[in-house]
């Protein structure tokens, strides 16, 4: 963690770099909030989704869920094709951003998203880059810049690890269970700085990073001004109610006021924000903040303010239930942690004050996989499970890890559960483990959530046709379209769901 102390504004700003869907980041964030007691918490996320925060922190809202953003480029501000853009911002129970806003709500601390709106991010990105990549599902929290460049490749090679995810788990997730937060965040910030230094400035600009960081920095300054004035007003009110307090004492108390702002963003953005809020750039960022407050201004790709604004009426922002399967398939290596089911078990262990949450998750999944394999075929014994557990522990020691993790779990199943050569005919134990490591959880929104009319209509139609939609499992429906009128109607409904 790193802080900026602004004596003139009597303000301290603390920055916590995170990786999306990281249990260790979430755990450390909880500890920092508990110890530091910030005045306000600012989180990376498009600021036009702030109205959704009450639903996100509601006790009846269950993760995983996602913020769905759409932007219809009717005026052709993004491209001549006037396309309809959309992206998802998934949240798991252990996502640092969600943990931050929920912890803030529990403690009565104001929290807010501070990033550019989705339409402005699109305008600040080059075609084919960032959120304008041509993919079936674009993910807002795609932090591939933190995990893919030449420096990271060489780092994995030097440490003898097979991928960035294995490197991350060993040095940040597992160490995060034991290390002091200040030391741990310091190591993470050092890594983020090195990753950023090895990313060309042009690439960051084309991905919209520069514009987004300029906007987030301006929002942070606005927050500093807001809570600084509020603190002074509150202190003046207290002073007026105390008859024995003279003017000199009141002035002295005003000088002691410290507004503490906690800023939580993807680790790749943290060094950029620190630079924009440094002493040499503070006034420039403050000027940008004033212009943003005036409205009808937005950020250019180079981080400069311009007098053009993406129409908010062409943007839609909704919360929607999501599944662990969708989050895992969407994020993969590049964007946040994979193996959502495995890390959910780790997070549950952290919540239960388990001393070794990773080791427990590995053991539980070894047993669960063994049980599923035995149901399908009787070739797996309890002794095989014991051997797999010993293998996971041995690999943990050999690889100098604090606890066995996801990669020791996979290697143990491959070595102890697969009989003979690993091929299509023998890969069933590995497939079953992968299903368990992904998880089957589906989120739920509280009754206060706004639901798009098209979704309400879809759910009503599914209820009419008695179609099961609250499951992530793929199902088949056999229809007799020539003999049953209802089946013909259902068939038409399925074809409408195909789209253009």
């Amino acid at each position: 963690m790193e802080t900026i102390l602004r004596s003139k504004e009597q303000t301290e700003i603390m920055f916590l770099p995170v990786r999306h869907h990281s249990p260790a980041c979430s755990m450390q964030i909880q500890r920092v909030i508990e110890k530091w007691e910030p005045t306000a918490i600012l989180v990376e996320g498009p600021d036009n989704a702030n109205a959704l925060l009450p639903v996100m922190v509601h006790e009846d809202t269950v993760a995983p869920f996602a913020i769905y953003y759409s932007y219809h480029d009717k005026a052709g501000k993004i491209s001549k094709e006037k396309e309809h853009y959309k992206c998802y911002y998934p949240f798991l129970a252990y996502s640092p951003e969600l943990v931050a806003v929920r912890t803030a709500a529990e403690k009565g601390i104001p929290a807010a998203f501070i990033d550019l709106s989705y339409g402005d991010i699109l305008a600040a990105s080059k075609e084919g880059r960032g959120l304008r990549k041509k993919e079936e599902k674009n993910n807002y929290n795609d932090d591939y810049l933190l995990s893919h460049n030449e420096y990271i490749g060489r780092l994995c090679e030097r440490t003898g690890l097979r991928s960035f995810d294995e490197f991350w788990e060993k040095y940040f997730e597992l160490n995060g269970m034991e290390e002091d937060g200040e030391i741990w965040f310091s190591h993470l910030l050092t890594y983020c700085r090195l990753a950023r230094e090895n990313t060309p400035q042009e690439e960051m600009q084309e991905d919209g990073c520069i514009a987004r960081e300029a906007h987030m920095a301006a929002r942070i300054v606005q927050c500093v001004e807001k809570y600084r004035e509020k603190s002074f007003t509150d202190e003046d009110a207290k002073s007026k109610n105390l008859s024995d307090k003279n003017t000199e004492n009141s002035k002295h108390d005003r000088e002691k006021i410290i507004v503490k702002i906690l800023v939580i963003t993807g680790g790749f953005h943290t060094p950029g924000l620190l630079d924009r809020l440094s002493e040499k750039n503070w006034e420039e960022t403050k000027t940008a903040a004033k212009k943003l407050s005036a409205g009808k201004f937005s950020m250019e790709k180079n981080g400069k303010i311009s007098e053009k604004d993406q129409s908010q009426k062409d943007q839609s922002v909704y919360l929607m239930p999501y599944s662990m399967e969708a989050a895992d398939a969407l994020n993969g290596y590049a964007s946040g942690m994979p193996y959502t089911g495995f890390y959910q078990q780790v997070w549950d262990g952290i919540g239960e004050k388990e001393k070794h949450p990773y080791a427990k998750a590995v053991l539980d999944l070894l047993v669960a996989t063994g049980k599923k394999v035995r149901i399908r075929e009787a070739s797996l014994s309890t002794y095989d499970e014991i051997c797999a557990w010993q293998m996971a522990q041995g690999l943990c020691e050999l690889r100098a890890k604090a606890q066995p993790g996801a990669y020791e779990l996979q290697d143990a199943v491959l070595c102890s559960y697969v009989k003979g050569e690993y091929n299509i005919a023998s890969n069933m134990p590995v497939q079953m483990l992968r299903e368990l490591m992904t998880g089957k959880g589906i989120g739920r929104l509280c009754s206060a959530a706004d639901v798009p009319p098209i979704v309400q209509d879809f759910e009503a139609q599914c209820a009419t046709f008695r179609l099961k939609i609250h499951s992530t499992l793929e199902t088949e429906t056999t229809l007799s379209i020539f003999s049953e009128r209802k089946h013909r109607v259902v068939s038409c409904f399925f074809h409408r769901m195909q789209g253009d």
Side-chain angles (χ1 to χ4, degrees):
M1 64 182 72
E2 190 159 330
T3 60
I4 292 176
L5 184 62
R6 295 287 304 172
S7 301
K8 186 177 179 180
E9 288 83 7
Q10 286 88 50
T11 303
E12 188 173 3
I13 310 170
M14 179 182 289
F15 296 84
L16 299 184
V18 299
R19 187 184 181 201
H20 303 296
H21 310 325
S22 163
C25 287
S26 296
M27 184 190 72
Q28 294 288 2
I29 283 171
Q30 286 181 321
R31 292 177 179 176
V32 170
I33 294 174
E34 186 72 35
K35 182 178 180 180
W36 201 55
E37 297 181 346
T39 307
I41 298 175
L42 304 179
V43 180
E44 180 188 331
D47 54 16
N48 61 339
N50 278 319
L52 302 179
L53 284 172
V55 176
M56 293 174 63
V57 302
H58 197 283
E59 59 182 5
D60 293 335
T61 297
V62 178
F65 56 82
I67 300 177
Y68 172 76
Y69 295 97
S70 69
Y71 179 73
H72 192 180
D73 186 25
K74 294 178 182 178
K77 295 178 179 178
I78 310 300
S79 67
K80 295 179 181 179
E81 287 75 20
K82 299 182 180 181
E83 295 180 79
H84 197 153
Y85 299 89
K86 61 183 183 297
C87 79
Y88 300 83
Y89 187 176
F91 294 88
L92 300 164
Y94 53 87
S95 295
E97 301 88 348
L98 181 59
V99 170
V101 297
R102 284 186 165 175
T103 306
E106 290 170 8
K107 297 185 175 297
I109 301 171
F113 290 129
I114 57 171
D115 204 350
L116 281 171
S117 66
Y118 179 49
D120 285 324
I121 294 176
L122 291 171
S125 305
K126 184 179 178 181
E127 185 176 357
R129 300 298 303 272
L131 290 181
R132 292 180 65 184
K133 294 197 297 276
K134 299 296 183 182
E135 295 183 359
E136 182 182 354
K137 288 184 178 181
N138 267 318
N139 181 11
Y140 165 79
N141 57 2
D142 188 339
D143 55 7
Y144 75 94
L145 289 174
L146 191 64
S147 57
H148 282 75
N149 59 42
E150 185 179 352
Y151 158 72
I152 294 161
R154 292 194 176 189
L155 195 60
C156 292
E157 185 181 333
R158 291 289 297 270
T159 53
L161 298 170
R162 292 163 288 188
S163 67
F164 168 73
D165 285 314
E166 187 175 5
F167 170 85
W168 175 272
E169 185 183 74
K170 177 178 179 179
Y171 290 103
F172 292 107
E173 293 299 318
L174 293 170
N175 287 352
M177 299 296 106
E178 308 293 336
E179 286 184 344
D180 173 74
E182 189 168 348
I183 295 173
W184 187 82
F185 275 116
S186 174
H187 291 162
L188 177 52
L189 185 56
T190 298
Y191 166 78
C192 294
R193 280 195 168 111
L194 290 169
R196 190 180 178 96
E197 287 174 6
N198 285 270
T199 303
Q201 183 77 6
E202 183 182 359
E203 185 176 343
M204 290 189 283
Q205 185 168 309
E206 290 175 351
D207 275 53
C209 283
I210 303 302
R212 291 172 61 185
E213 289 164 6
H215 185 86
M216 286 192 279
R219 291 296 188 210
I220 293 168
V221 171
Q222 287 177 343
C223 184
V224 167
E225 294 294 316
K226 173 184 174 181
Y227 287 101
R228 174 173 169 261
E229 291 302 319
K230 184 177 184 301
S231 296
F232 285 168
T233 302
D234 292 346
E235 192 67 23
D236 286 342
K238 290 178 184 177
S239 298
K240 289 176 183 178
N241 292 331
L242 297 174
S243 57
D244 60 338
K245 211 165 196 180
N246 58 35
T247 306
E248 189 61 35
N249 285 337
S250 178
K251 180 180 177 182
H252 177 67
D253 287 338
R254 285 170 65 107
E255 291 173 350
K256 292 192 299 181
I257 294 172
I258 293 290
V259 174
K260 298 193 287 187
I261 308 297
L262 182 63
V263 180
I264 298 168
T265 63
F268 192 85
H269 296 302
T270 306
L273 292 175
L274 284 165
D275 180 62
R276 288 186 175 276
L277 295 171
S278 63
E279 189 66 38
K280 66 175 182 177
N281 294 322
W282 180 268
E283 290 303 320
E284 181 182 346
T285 302
K286 191 173 181 179
T287 300
K290 289 179 180 178
K291 289 184 177 181
L292 283 177
S293 297
K296 294 186 178 181
F297 287 91
S298 61
M299 290 292 176
E300 292 283 355
K301 294 178 182 179
N302 59 5
K304 301 296 182 181
I305 286 279
S306 68
E307 291 191 28
K308 66 176 184 178
D309 186 31
Q310 302 302 322
S311 176
Q312 295 300 312
K313 66 180 181 181
D314 295 332
Q315 302 195 57
S316 297
V317 185
Y318 288 102
L319 277 178
M320 57 179 283
Y322 217 61
S323 71
M324 298 185 85
E325 287 177 304
D328 185 67
L330 180 62
N331 292 327
Y333 286 154
S335 321
M337 304 282 289
Y339 310 131
T340 49
F342 174 78
Y343 290 111
Q344 180 64 56
Q345 290 212 25
V346 171
W347 180 246
D348 291 341
I350 293 172
E352 294 164 2
K353 308 298 182 183
E354 179 67 40
K355 188 175 181 181
H356 301 293
Y358 273 84
K360 184 178 185 301
V362 168
L363 180 58
D364 288 348
L365 286 179
L366 283 174
V367 173
T369 303
K371 183 178 179 180
K372 287 175 71 73
V373 171
R374 277 193 294 275
I375 292 173
R376 291 279 298 272
E377 56 181 47
S379 62
L380 195 70
S381 66
T382 304
Y383 179 71
D384 291 323
E385 293 179 3
I386 294 171
C387 289
W389 173 235
Q390 291 176 337
M391 171 70 74
Q393 291 177 303
L395 288 172
C396 171
E397 292 184 18
L398 184 65
R399 295 167 179 172
K401 296 184 179 181
Q403 299 177 53
Y407 302 90
E408 287 65 51
L409 170 61
Q410 293 178 93
D411 291 340
V413 167
L414 181 62
C415 292
S416 301
Y417 287 9
V418 175
K419 306 299 182 181
E421 182 182 357
Y422 178 68
N423 51 42
I424 295 176
S426 64
N427 72 346
M428 191 254 291
V430 176
Q431 284 184 329
M432 291 188 167
L433 172 65
R434 185 67 176 87
E435 290 176 6
L436 290 170
M437 292 182 75
T438 299
K440 298 290 184 184
I442 301 176
R444 183 180 70 249
L445 303 181
C446 69
S447 58
D450 288 331
V451 180
I454 192 170
V455 175
Q456 292 177 339
D457 180 63
F458 170 77
E459 291 179 344
Q461 297 248 30
C462 288
T464 301
F465 301 140
R466 296 183 180 180
L467 299 174
K468 295 180 180 179
I469 59 173
H470 298 294
S471 171
T472 58
L473 298 175
E474 192 173 293
T475 59
E476 286 187 4
T477 301
T478 303
L479 302 174
S480 301
I481 60 175
F482 296 108
S483 59
E484 296 283 343
R485 182 181 180 281
K486 180 181 177 182
H487 286 195
R488 288 196 295 274
V489 176
V490 173
S491 178
C492 290
F493 174 68
F494 285 160
H495 279 284
R496 288 202 301 276
M497 293 302 101
Q498 293 276 341
D500 295 332

